[in-house]
């Protein structure tokens, strides 16, 4: 293609972001920035979930005579493929404090929006010492 002398020049479509001159300067960079942003958001949600679990465990442990953290269940075991269990804990308390624990769990659910499951009472095997 030729241009008349002194006429307008076509825009330079080459740049460090776009060395081939396709006219989509920065498309690759924008994609990577979106992916990085998604990764950072996922990490922030996970960090908030861990902090919430720590806060819930601390509050419930204060109500209990003893508390134990157990290994979190896998997604296959919980049947919840879309979410991961962050905290699995057992709290030993007298029967007359069970309602207080249930109320504390409900307060934490409302305050944080966390999915907190409460079950029991169970046999206190988690609190039996090694033989």
């Amino acid at each position: 293609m030729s241009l008349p002398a002194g006429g307008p020049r076509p825009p330079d479509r080459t740049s460090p972001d776009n060395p081939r001159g396709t006219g989509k300067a920065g498309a690759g960079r924008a994609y990577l920035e979106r992916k990085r942003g998604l990764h950072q958001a996922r990490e922030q949600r996970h960090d908030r979930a861990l902090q919430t679990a720590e806060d819930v465990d601390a509050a419930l442990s204060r109500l209990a005579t003893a508390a134990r953290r157990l290994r979190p269940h896998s997604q296959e075991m919980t049947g919840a493929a879309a979410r991961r269990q962050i905290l699995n804990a057992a709290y030993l308390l007298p029967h007359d404090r069970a309602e207080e624990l249930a109320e504390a769990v409900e307060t934490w659910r409302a305050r944080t929006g966390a999915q907190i499951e409460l079950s029991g009472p169970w046999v206190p095997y988690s609190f039996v010492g090694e033989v």
Side-chain angles (χ1 to χ4, degrees), residues 71-86:
R71 184 177 1 169
H73 295 298
S74 67
Q75 290 171 314
E76 294 82 22
M77 189 172 194
T78 63
R83 62 187 179 124
R84 223 170 89 195
Q85 188 178 56
I86 301 293

Side-chain angles (χ1 to χ4, degrees), residues 51-75:
Q51 185 59 56
T52 298
E54 290 294 327
D55 294 345
V56 168
D57 184 53
L60 299 182
S61 293
R62 284 191 292 273
L63 298 174
T65 303
R68 297 281 186 273
R69 283 198 166 184
L70 309 169
R71 184 177 1 169
H73 295 298
S74 67
Q75 290 171 314

